[in-house]
């Protein structure tokens, strides 16, 4: 029997922005303008702080005074052992398994500089409900990911469309910092984010990994 998610996903939650090809391509014109003038050459990294942790069938509190909240369906990669300067070829050996993430956010002005105020509201990172060991996932780069709001399909994509694969992410991140056992990589949210409101039921489904649900409630 696999371990409980709460026993293995105990570390830092690292988010990767712009890791779906469709999303990156949709922003290319913006990236050609000042001050950037070119797309990012390295992973755009952000952290979901510990106060953002949330779970399956727990409420997502819609903060008072904000105009829009957007769910962010993503595959979560749980590290199984410490990784420092790991090669791309060896990287998957450091993965314990996978889970479903819904990385909520306020709309962002800049993908280059993900805002703490937009990303790190209380409860803005739902994880679960299950932990699926790596050996039970044949190919993490061929998984269909869907977002439902009130039972209606609102987003659909596939991890085959990652800009950077999981081994590439682990190699590039572990080049400058140690990823510890229990850390979770949020591998990116695809293009087409939608708004949700109090009263909505939001569900993220990833084939073979699980289905994660939250009810949005007003603060």
């Amino acid at each position: 029997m696999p371990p409980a998610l709460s026993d293995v996903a105990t570390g830092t939650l690292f988010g990767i922005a712009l890791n779906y090809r469709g999303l990156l391509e949709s922003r290319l014109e913006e990236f050609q303008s000042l001050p950037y003038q070119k797309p990012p050459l390295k992973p755009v990294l952000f952290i979901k702080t510990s106060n953002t942790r949330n779970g399956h069938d727990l409420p997502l509190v819609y903060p008072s005074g904000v105009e829009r909240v957007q769910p962010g369906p993503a595959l979560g990669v749980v590290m199984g052992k410490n990784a420092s300067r790991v090669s791309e070829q060896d990287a998957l050996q450091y993965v314990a398994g996978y889970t479903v993430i819904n990385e909520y956010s306020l709309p962002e002005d800049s993908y280059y500089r993900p805002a703490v105020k937009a990303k790190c509201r209380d409860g803005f990172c739902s994880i679960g409900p299950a932990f699926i060991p790596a050996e039970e996932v044949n190919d993490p780069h061929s998984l269909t990911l869907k977002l439902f709001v009130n039972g209606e399909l609102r987003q659909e994509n596939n991890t085959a469309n990652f800009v950077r694969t999981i081994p590439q992410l682990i190699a590039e991140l572990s080049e400058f910092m140690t990823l510890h056992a229990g850390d979770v990589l949020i591998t990116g949210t695809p293009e087409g984010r939608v708004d949700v409101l109090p009263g909505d039921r939001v569900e993220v489904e990833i084939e073979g990994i699980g289905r994660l649900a939250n009810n949005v409630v007003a603060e």
Side-chain angles (χ1 to χ4, degrees):
M1 185 173 179
L5 180 66
S6 58
D7 292 332
V8 291
T10 56
T12 303
L13 307 173
F14 292 103
I16 313 296
L18 294 168
N19 201 39
Y20 274 83
R21 293 192 191 106
L23 178 58
L24 180 63
E25 290 166 1
S26 73
R27 314 292 294 213
L28 286 179
E29 183 176 349
E30 172 189 337
F31 292 147
Q32 301 303 328
S33 305
L34 291 172
Y36 311 120
Q37 297 187 295
K38 60 184 177 182
L41 301 178
K42 293 288 186 179
V44 179
L45 187 66
F46 61 92
I47 293 176
K48 300 292 273 195
T49 46
S50 59
N51 64 295
T52 66
R53 282 182 175 265
N54 205 339
H56 176 60
D57 259 345
L58 296 179
L60 184 284
V61 177
Y62 192 108
S64 61
V66 305
E67 293 184 2
R68 298 166 65 195
V69 171
Q70 298 179 327
L75 176 67
V77 178
V78 183
M79 301 301 294
K81 53 185 178 179
N82 294 357
S84 177
R85 296 183 174 87
V86 169
S87 71
E88 190 176 325
Q89 292 72 25
D90 295 337
L92 287 181
Q93 298 176 24
Y94 291 79
V95 173
Y98 302 93
T99 191
V100 181
I101 303 260
N102 196 344
E103 183 266 299
Y104 292 88
S105 180
L106 309 186
E108 299 165 78
D109 294 326
S110 171
Y111 278 94
Y112 262 96
R113 298 184 180 90
V116 171
K117 194 172 182 179
K119 290 287 191 185
C120 296
R121 302 291 180 118
D122 290 348
F124 264 30
C125 192
S126 290
I127 309 172
F131 167 78
I132 306 300
E135 58 269 20
E136 295 183 17
V137 179
N138 183 47
D139 182 4
H141 303 98
S142 182
L143 301 175
T144 298
L145 171 150
K146 297 179 180 181
L147 173 77
F148 300 87
V149 180
N150 300 323
E152 179 186 352
L153 179 64
R154 299 296 301 276
Q155 270 181 288
E156 182 174 353
N157 215 302
N158 193 287
T159 58
N161 294 317
F162 282 162
V163 174
R164 288 178 174 84
T165 65
I166 294 163
Q168 286 175 309
L169 289 173
I170 292 172
E172 291 197 44
L173 297 181
S174 70
E175 181 182 349
F176 67 89
M177 67 178 178
T178 299
L179 297 172
H180 291 91
D183 287 349
V184 181
L185 303 185
I186 305 168
T187 53
T189 291
E191 66 275 12
R193 290 185 87 151
V194 301
D195 295 347
V196 295
L197 294 168
D200 287 342
R201 183 167 176 83
V202 183
E203 297 171 281
V204 175
E205 180 181 272
I206 302 178
E207 64 173 309
I209 309 298
R211 191 170 178 126
L212 170 67
N214 298 104
N215 292 321
V216 184
V217 300
E219 186 173 23

